[in-house]
Amino acid sequence: MAALTAAPPAVALTTDLTQSELFAQIAGNTSLSASFWVNIALAGLAILLFVYMGRNVSDSRAQLIFVATMMVPLVSISSYTGLVSGLTVGVINVPYPGGGSEDVLIMWGRYLTWALSTPMILIALGLLAGTNLTKLFTAVVMDIGMCITGLAAALTTSSLLLRWFWYLISCAFFVAVIYILLVEWPKDAQAAGTAEIFSTLKTLTVTLWLAYPVVWAVGSEGLAVLGTTQTSWAYSLLDVGAKYIFAYLLLRWVAANQNVIGSIAGGSLGAVSSAD
Ligand code: RET
C-alpha cells in the first residue's frame, strides 16, 4: 500500500526528466503541489455550485452564458490535473538577461489551457454586454493569439531576444483584448441594460488579467525574481479571482436577472452588424 501512495524519490532538475520524475519533483515540493491541489478542489466545488445555480435558468442567452462560464472551472480542473501529474510541465534551460541560464521547471500546460478557458470568459462577458459577432470574434481570436504566443515565449530557449520578442507579441494581442473590454463592450453593455454588472466584472477582469504578464515577467520563466513555487502560487491565486470569483459574481447576477438578459436584442449576435 505504501508503495502505491508514497511519492518516488525526487531527482535533480535536468531537461531530460521522465514524466514520473517530474511527478516526483512536484510531489516532493509540498507548497508547489498545494498551489495545484487548491485549484483542483476549488474548480470541483465551483462546477457543483454553478450547476446548482443554473437549475432554473430558461432563457437561451442566459443558458449560453452559464455554459461558457461553467467551462472555466471544467478547463481548470483538467489544467491543474495536467500540472500535478507531471504531464504538462517540463524542465527547460531558460536564458536570463545579463547572461547565463538555468534549468527551470516550467508549467507550460497553463498557457495551453488558458487558450481554452480565457475565450470562455470573454464569450460570457460579450454575451452579457450584448455585443455583436465581429467584436466577440475579435476578442476571442486576439485572446487565443495571446495565449499561444505566451506559450511560445515560455518554450523558446534558443535565443533570449526571441523569447522576449514572443512575450511582446503576446502583449500586443493582449492590448486588443483590453481595448475591447475597456472601450467597446462598456458602450454595448450600456445599450443592453447590463452596464452596472458589466462594469464590476470588467474592472475585476482587467485588473487581474494585467497581473498575469507581470507575473510572467518577474517569475521563473522571465527574470526569475520569483522562484518556481512562488510563480505558481501567484498564478494560482490570480486564477481564484479571475475564474471562480468572477464566474460566481456573473452567474449569480445572470440567474437573478434573466429578464434583462432575455431582452438583449437577439439579432446582435446573429448578424455581423453594429450593436450600437
Ligand atoms: C502571458 C505572457 C505573455 C504576455 C501576456 C500574458 C498574458 C496572460 C493572461 C492570462 C490570463 C489568464 C486567465 C486564466 C484563467 O483561466 C501569457 C502571461 C500578455 C492575461 C485569466
Side-chain angles (χ1 to χ4, degrees):
M1 193 60 195
L4 279 178
T5 50
V11 290
L13 268 191
T14 54
T15 50
D16 57 359
L17 294 189
T18 63
Q19 191 180 110
S20 304
E21 287 165 339
L22 287 167
F23 172 70
Q25 283 285 341
I26 295 163
N29 180 337
T30 316
S31 181
L32 182 62
S33 293
S35 74
F36 299 149
W37 282 111
V38 161
N39 265 272
I40 293 179
L42 285 175
L45 288 175
I47 292 161
L48 298 177
L49 176 67
F50 298 161
V51 168
Y52 177 75
M53 287 167 73
R55 70 198 179 286
N56 293 326
V57 173
S58 54
D59 173 76
S60 63
R61 182 182 287 255
Q63 285 174 338
L64 191 50
I65 295 178
F66 257 85
V67 174
T69 311
M70 263 159 33
M71 275 304 286
V72 177
L74 286 170
V75 171
S76 191
I77 205 164
S78 318
S79 174
Y80 280 99
T81 303
L83 295 172
V84 86
S85 64
L87 174 68
T88 56
V89 300
V91 177
I92 65 164
N93 190 258
V94 177
Y96 290 122
S101 66
E102 206 183 313
D103 285 345
V104 172
L105 183 79
I106 67 146
M107 299 159 280
W108 56 266
R110 286 188 186 273
Y111 313 113
L112 188 68
T113 53
W114 288 347
L116 288 172
S117 60
T118 54
M120 295 300 148
I121 294 174
L122 293 174
I123 289 171
L125 278 175
L127 287 168
L128 176 74
T131 192
N132 65 30
L133 195 55
T134 306
K135 290 184 208 173
L136 192 59
F137 178 82
T138 308
V140 167
V141 294
M142 293 296 162
D143 173 69
I144 294 175
M146 173 191 84
C147 296
I148 300 299
T149 50
L151 175 67
L155 293 179
T156 298
T157 52
S158 54
S159 148
L160 176 70
L161 204 67
L162 288 176
R163 193 175 166 83
W164 284 89
F165 187 55
W166 277 123
Y167 178 86
L168 280 182
I169 297 175
S170 180
C171 287
F173 280 117
F174 188 38
V175 169
V177 176
I178 293 291
Y179 173 81
I180 291 174
L181 280 170
L182 286 182
V183 181
E184 294 296 333
W185 286 357
K187 285 188 276 179
D188 295 339
Q190 195 72 45
T194 53
E196 209 178 311
I197 180 70
F198 183 83
S199 164
T200 308
L201 294 172
K202 173 197 76 183
T203 309
L204 179 76
T205 300
V206 171
T207 313
L208 292 176
W209 285 36
L210 280 170
Y212 284 81
V214 175
V215 171
W216 198 100
V218 297
S220 49
E221 285 132 309
L223 302 171
V225 177
L226 302 178
T228 303
T229 305
Q230 289 165 321
T231 306
S232 182
W233 267 111
Y235 283 137
S236 290
L237 292 176
L238 285 174
D239 274 6
V240 172
K243 293 176 179 175
Y244 317 121
I245 295 177
F246 164 86
Y248 175 74
L249 292 175
L250 171 61
L251 296 183
R252 190 183 60 168
W253 191 91
V254 169
N257 295 277
Q258 282 188 74
N259 54 333
V260 183
I261 298 287
S263 65
I264 295 175
S268 62
L269 258 190
V272 190
S273 60
S274 168
D276 25 60

